[in-house]
Amino acid sequence: MDYRVAQRFAILAFAALPFVVINLVNAPIRVLQAAQDKVVSNPLANDPSAAKAGELLFRSNCSPCHGLSARGGGRGPDLTAGRWVHGSNDSDIFRTITQGVPGTQMPANSFEDSETWAIISYLRSLAPSTQAKSTGDMAKGEKLFIERGCSVCHMVRGKGGLLGPDLSRVGASRSLAYLTDSIREPDKELSDGMLDPNNHYGIPMVYDTVTVTLKSGETVTGVASNEDTFSIQLMDTTQRLRLFQKSELKAVRHDRKSLMPAYSEKMIDAADLEDLLAYLESLRGS
C-alpha cells in the first residue's frame, strides 16, 4: 500500500474512533431504555398465592402511605380507584414501584422482581374502591376556592400562592377523607412538601409552622422551603422567601401545626364543603 494512502486511511480511522466509542458506550443504555419501554405482562397474574404474598409485602412496606387495604392514606393515593397517574399497565406500575417517582413521596424500592410482581398481583386482585365521592358542585367549589382566599396560599395549574401545598393534582393523590380533614382540622395530619430528587442530604419538608429567632430578637414565622444542617430557607407569611444561616440565629422552632386556619361549620357549612371537595377531587394534574 502506498505510504500516503496508508496515512490517509489511518487518519480517517482515528477520526472515526470517537463515534465508535460513543456508540459502544451508548449501546447498553439504548438496550436498557428499550427494555424499560417494552410493555411486559405480569408473569404472576391471576395467581392467588402470588396475590396473597403480595398482600403481605404491601402491608409491611406500602401501607404506611397507601393504607392497609390500599384505599389511600395520609401520604399516598387510593390504589383501587383506577387513577394510575404514572401509567396503568403492568410495566408502568412495575417501574413506579421499583424506580419511584422523582419529586414526590414515592420512593424507589429494592424488591426482588418476583416480589414486585406479587405486589402488582395483589393490587389487581382488589375490588374497585367503593369510597363515596363528593356530591357537591365542582363549579361552585372552584368559585368558593377563590372567594374564601384559598388561592392566596395554594397554587392550582400555575396560578395562586406559594405558602401552602400545590393542589394541581390533589384529587389524584389524596382521599376524600384526607381532604375533609385538611379543611376542618389542618393540624391533624400535616402535608408533606415535594422532595428534591437531587438533594440526598436535605431534611424532608413538612408544611408545619416554623419560627426562627434572629440574634437581634426579631422572629420570622412561615414554612420551611429547604433546610439542612447549616441553613434554612423560609417562606414567611407574606410569601417572601428568606434565607438564614443557622449560625446567625438564636433558635429554630418547628411547631406541629399548620398555618392554615381550621374551617369550622360556621365558616364553611356542609353544603359549601361538599362543593369545595368536588372541586378539589377534580384536580388530577391533567
Side-chain angles (χ1 to χ4, degrees), residues 193-204:
M194 296 291 284
L195 301 178
D196 181 352
N198 299 311
N199 183 2
H200 302 288
Y201 304 102
I203 300 170

Side-chain angles (χ1 to χ4, degrees), residues 173-194:
S173 61
R174 302 299 192 194
S175 67
L176 185 64
Y178 181 92
L179 294 175
T180 302
D181 285 342
S182 295
I183 296 169
R184 294 293 196 208
E185 303 177 77
D187 294 342
K188 184 176 181 179
E189 187 160 4
L190 299 177
S191 295
D192 296 295
M194 296 291 284

Side-chain angles (χ1 to χ4, degrees), residues 157-173:
R157 303 188 185 104
K159 296 181 179 180
L162 299 171
L163 190 59
D166 187 325
L167 302 181
S168 299
R169 57 178 302 273
V170 70
S173 61

